[in-house]
Amino acid sequence: MSTSANASIPPLGMVSTQVTCPSCHAVVMTTITKESSQSSYWCCLLLCVLALPCFALVPFCLNKFKDFRHSCPLCSAHIGVYKQ
């Protein structure tokens, strides 16, 4: 699933994408920041409740539980988020 700030932005994914920045209007390759998604926290909590605390931090290491935030490298404007 991909969400973006502007309808003219191409589909975003786990890799940098060439876009026209809606803020500075430059054609750029997006900068990606990986962040733990809400599902990683829920999975961690679930593993702790199931008495498997030694595995509770595993979701924070997997890309499956990450959100990929795309931004412009020139003006740092937020372009969109790719959520899995």
Side-chain angles (χ1 to χ4, degrees):
M1 176 170 84
S2 170
T3 60
S4 61
N6 189 333
S8 65
I9 301 293
L12 302 174
M14 296 179 3
V15 296
S16 185
T17 305
Q18 183 175 352
V19 299
T20 300
C21 176
S23 180
C24 68
H25 305 290
V27 176
V28 296
M29 292 297 286
T30 59
T31 300
I32 297 176
T33 306
K34 295 184 204 177
E35 296 178 351
S36 296
S37 66
Q38 188 175 16
S39 62
S40 62
Y41 291 98
W42 285 110
C43 189
C44 176
L45 178 65
L46 180 65
L47 289 170
C48 286
V49 169
L50 294 174
L52 298 168
C54 58
F55 297 109
L57 298 179
V58 170
F60 296 104
C61 300
L62 302 174
N63 279 340
K64 181 69 178 167
F65 294 98
K66 301 263 187 211
D67 291 342
F68 295 81
R69 298 196 177 274
H70 292 258
S71 59
C72 175
L74 299 178
C75 68
S76 299
H78 173 75
I79 301 210
V81 178
Y82 173 73
K83 297 183 178 197
Q84 297 188 26

